[in-house]
């Protein structure tokens, strides 16, 4: 898979031809309703025909496997597919290997360059020496590039059938699904959730659901509610008992704790709470994870940060999710949601306090549309990456790309004369984030949040990682 950025004068047909790709496959991979209406600066994913195939209407997994000369089982395993009937139009499949018939004059080096695979890897798979002479007509198995195995968590706030359908479609890309959320109460109970459809979708795709608890009250994170729980061990034991019963009954695999705006004086109370919950959850076979504020240093001031003890969380729980997004928050000035330089600042500190194999960094799947000039008190509109491209097309604006933040953006004027500034995510910005996961040797990434159409993300993810299933 390659990422191509549209230039002035490009047509999709020319782009496909230039990359040796099938036009319809490019259309499907990018879910393009208007293939002829490209936007300058738009990032497209281009499938590599030898190793990638985009599922089309009328296809069957068995026929695709046969066409590429691989077993159905190998094709399913390479793509985390648990049910051959749960494959959808527009999904990109990674082909585990292909057969190449040697032509006159070809060398192993030339073949390796053609398929973007090392000579040594081809030689190993075929049981030959790297400097072996090839015979015309000789058949070689060409393996795909090996991808690092990482864990991917996905939060979803769509606790309905629409959310379940999205999980069914994309669940092969997730290790964990985190339905957001159950708010705890002062008496050790928690708010209910009609999560049956989501849990069934998770089961059908081999995704482990995590039970998310928060200190959310009256539509905001409540410091007093957190204090009521964290300062009372008896209430905690009641909460743990209730959680274990609910998680067992519904088939959850772990607990994810997202307590925010905790009073600084409750920092050690929070750490003690985590030790107690792990002591109760682990014997029952449940994992425990936390979501933490994006700190850049241990002593970072502010109600959002001070009670989140990175070192203690890293020692106590199974994994930690630094929420590396929302710099461009709805109530703030126009900015990238997850600027890569700020993500790097957080990770530079995080890896000094938390083992790298316990860090699952936050990844944003959305954008925002601000009115400008920006005024204090105004709220930006949250948009999907797909809508970002649609807005640029509608108002005939080129998409720009900020190299410092690794994020696309543009400005436009609406029908009333109001100016707007838009920041969102695209294939390039997600590639930069996946590169960050590899560079820092992290456990994986965590999406906030599902429900925003972003067709380019999934092939970019699949091109970078083999997602772990547990």
């Amino acid at each position: 898979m390659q990422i191509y950025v549209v230039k002035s004068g490009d047509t999709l047909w020319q782009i496909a031809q230039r990359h040796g790709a099938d036009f319809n496959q490019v259309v499907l991979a990018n879910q393009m309703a208007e293939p002829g209406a490209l936007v300058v600066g738009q990032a497209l994913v281009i499938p590599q025909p030898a190793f990638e195939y985009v599922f089309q209407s009328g296809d069957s997994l068995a026929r695709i496997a046969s066409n590429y000369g691989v077993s159905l089982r190998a094709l399913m395993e390479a793509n985390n597919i648990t049910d051959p009937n749960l494959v959808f139009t527009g999904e990109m499949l990674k082909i585990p290997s292909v057969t190449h018939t040697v032509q006159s004059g070809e060398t192993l080096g030339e073949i390796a360059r053609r398929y973007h695979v090392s000579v040594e890897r081809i030689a190993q798979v075929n049981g030959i020496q790297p400097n072996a002479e090839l015979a015309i007509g000789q058949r070689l198995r060409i393996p795909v590039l090996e991808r690092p195995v990482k864990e991917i968590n996905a939060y979803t706030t769509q606790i309905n059938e629409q959310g379940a359908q999205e999980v069914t479609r994309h669940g092969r890309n997730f290790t964990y699904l985190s339905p957001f959320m159950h708010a705890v109460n002062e008496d050790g109970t928690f708010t209910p959730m009609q999560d049956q459809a989501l849990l069934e979708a998770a089961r059908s795709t081999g995704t482990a659901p995590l039970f998310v608890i928060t200190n959310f009250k009256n539509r905001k994170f409540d410091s007093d509610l957190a204090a009521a729980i964290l300062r009372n061990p008896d209430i905690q034991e009641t909460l743990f008992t209730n959680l274990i019963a609910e998680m067992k009954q519904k088939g959850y695999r772990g607990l994810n704790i997202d307590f925010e705006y905790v009073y600084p004086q409750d920092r050690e109370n929070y750490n003690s709470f985590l030790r107690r919950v792990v002591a109760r959850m682990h014997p029952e076979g449940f994992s425990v994870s936390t979501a933490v504020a994006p700190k850049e240093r241990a002593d970072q001031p502010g109600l959002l940060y001070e009670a989140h003890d990175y070192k203690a969380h890293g020692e106590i729980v199974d994994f930690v999710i630094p929420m590396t997004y929302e710099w461009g928050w709805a109530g703030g000035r126009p900015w990238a949601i997850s600027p890569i330089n700020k993500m790097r600042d957080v990770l530079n500190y995080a890896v000094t306090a938390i083992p790298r194999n316990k860090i699952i960094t936050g990844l944003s799947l959305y954008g925002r549309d601000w009115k400008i000039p920006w005024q204090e008190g105004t709220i930006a509109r949250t948009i999907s990456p797909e809508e970002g491209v649609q807005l640029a097309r509608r108002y005939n604006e080129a998409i720009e790309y900020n190299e410092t933040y690794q994020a696309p953006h543009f400005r436009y004027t609406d029908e009333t004369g109001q100016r707007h500034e838009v920041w969102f995510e695209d294939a390039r910005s997600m590639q930069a984030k996946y590169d960050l996961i590899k560079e820092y040797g992290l456990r994986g990434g965590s999406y906030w949040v599902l429900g925003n159409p972003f067709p380019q993300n999934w092939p970019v993810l699949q091109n970078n990682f083999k997602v772990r299933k547990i």
Side-chain angles (χ1 to χ4, degrees):
M1 186 220 78
Q2 295 177 283
I3 297 172
Y4 180 78
V5 181
V6 175
K7 299 177 177 59
S8 179
D10 276 342
T11 69
L12 195 62
W13 179 262
Q14 292 170 338
I15 294 168
Q17 290 290 104
R18 197 178 305 145
H19 289 84
D22 179 88
F23 175 84
N24 290 325
Q25 289 273 290
V26 177
V27 171
L28 284 169
N30 293 278
Q31 297 288 289
M32 303 178 75
E34 301 178 70
L38 299 179
V39 177
V40 173
Q42 177 181 1
L44 302 173
V45 294
I46 312 295
Q48 184 182 355
F51 290 129
E52 293 160 340
Y53 179 80
V54 184
F55 198 84
Q56 305 184 62
S57 178
D59 273 337
S60 76
L61 215 55
R63 185 160 58 245
I64 295 168
S66 177
N67 289 345
Y68 278 92
V70 299
S71 70
L72 176 60
R73 179 177 178 180
L75 184 61
M76 291 175 65
E77 287 180 351
N79 293 280
N80 284 344
I81 295 171
T82 55
D83 183 342
N85 297 311
L86 286 181
V87 187
F88 301 90
T89 299
E91 284 195 272
M92 192 182 78
L93 303 173
K94 300 294 287 187
I95 308 302
S97 64
V98 296
T99 300
H100 177 84
T101 302
V102 177
Q103 305 297 312
S104 175
E106 283 188 325
T107 66
L108 208 53
E110 291 168 343
I111 295 169
R113 284 191 293 275
R114 174 178 173 183
Y115 290 100
H116 305 284
V117 181
S118 72
V119 169
E120 291 73 19
R121 182 78 174 119
I122 297 176
Q124 179 187 34
V125 167
N126 291 277
I128 61 177
Q129 294 298 314
N131 58 353
E133 291 187 12
L134 304 178
I136 296 173
Q138 182 177 352
R139 293 166 65 83
L140 298 173
R141 295 298 294 174
I142 311 296
V144 297
L145 284 171
E146 293 185 357
R147 297 164 291 165
V149 178
K150 299 293 180 181
E151 292 187 358
I152 297 293
N153 174 58
Y155 286 103
T156 181
T157 58
Q158 292 192 111
I159 317 301
N160 52 29
E161 187 58 39
Q162 183 180 352
Q165 291 174 4
E166 185 175 22
V167 173
T168 300
R169 181 181 181 94
H170 297 303
R172 67 188 180 94
N173 300 301
F174 309 145
T175 309
Y176 310 104
L177 175 72
S178 297
F180 195 84
M181 47 66 191
H182 295 82
V184 298
N185 300 315
E186 288 90 341
D187 61 356
T189 60
F190 43 81
T191 56
M193 181 188 292
Q194 299 300 316
D195 50 7
Q196 293 86 348
L198 277 175
L199 296 178
E200 180 55 40
R203 280 191 288 271
S204 72
T205 58
T207 303
L210 302 181
F211 196 98
V212 181
I213 59 171
T214 72
N215 59 317
F216 211 71
K217 185 178 180 180
N218 297 327
R219 302 180 67 181
K220 65 177 183 178
F221 287 96
D222 190 292
S223 305
D224 291 326
L225 174 58
I229 299 295
L230 299 179
R231 298 175 186 178
N232 192 324
D234 291 335
I235 293 298
Q236 291 174 28
E237 290 302 320
T238 300
L239 174 63
F240 302 157
T241 299
N242 290 334
L243 286 170
I244 289 169
E246 182 85 351
M247 290 164 68
K248 281 185 173 181
Q249 190 268 322
K250 289 191 171 182
Y252 278 89
R253 300 289 295 277
L255 177 69
N256 179 249
I257 303 164
D258 181 15
F259 281 9
E260 301 186 31
Y261 295 95
V262 176
Y263 289 126
Q265 57 265 38
D266 282 320
R267 177 186 175 106
E268 288 306 320
N269 290 332
Y270 193 9
N271 293 342
S272 297
F273 170 85
L274 293 177
R275 293 186 184 96
R276 292 190 187 102
V277 73
V278 167
R280 288 291 303 274
M281 291 290 164
H282 277 182
E284 302 292 344
F286 297 122
S287 67
V288 179
S289 57
T290 56
V292 295
K295 296 177 70 166
E296 298 178 12
R297 64 181 196 269
D299 60 350
Q300 187 164 339
L303 183 60
L304 180 63
Y305 307 102
E306 292 179 47
H308 285 179
D309 185 338
Y310 271 37
K311 188 173 188 297
H313 285 232
E315 292 171 350
I316 298 167
V317 302
D318 296 291
F319 60 88
V320 181
I321 302 173
M323 293 180 283
T324 41
Y325 37 74
E326 284 294 286
W327 277 274
W329 64 291
R333 295 178 180 276
W335 197 7
I337 309 299
S338 299
I340 205 76
N341 60 324
K342 300 302 292 181
M343 292 182 69
R344 188 178 291 278
D345 289 343
V346 173
L347 292 175
N348 283 341
Y349 165 61
V351 297
T352 69
I354 304 169
R356 293 170 190 257
N357 63 1
K358 283 191 174 186
I359 300 174
I360 295 184
T361 196
L363 305 167
S364 55
L365 291 182
Y366 56 99
R368 290 214 164 94
D369 179 345
W370 284 265
K371 292 180 179 179
I372 55 172
W374 180 79
Q375 296 181 345
E376 187 80 39
T378 60
I379 302 298
R381 185 170 66 92
T382 299
I383 62 172
S384 70
E386 187 174 69
E387 187 177 358
V389 176
Q390 290 170 351
L391 282 169
R393 180 185 302 119
R394 176 180 175 182
Y395 292 102
N396 195 30
E397 296 289 347
I399 296 170
E400 300 178 40
Y401 194 77
N402 186 291
E403 295 292 341
T404 300
Y405 304 147
Q406 289 290 303
H409 62 101
F410 63 93
R411 291 180 173 183
Y412 72 92
T413 304
D414 68 21
E415 290 80 0
T416 70
Q418 174 67 54
R419 291 285 288 163
H420 294 250
E421 185 169 332
V422 177
W423 290 83
F424 62 109
E425 304 288 353
D426 69 2
R428 290 169 293 180
S429 68
M430 296 310 294
Q431 180 62 58
K433 293 171 177 58
Y434 297 142
D435 286 342
L436 208 62
I437 290 172
K438 288 181 281 191
E439 176 187 342
Y440 282 82
L442 306 182
R443 185 182 184 118
S446 176
Y447 293 131
W448 182 267
V449 58
L450 299 184
N452 301 289
F454 189 5
Q456 291 82 12
N457 176 61
W458 311 113
V460 176
L461 170 68
Q462 292 156 14
N463 198 56
N464 280 275
F465 305 127
K466 177 79 164 62
V467 174
R468 177 179 285 119
K469 292 288 187 175
I470 59 174

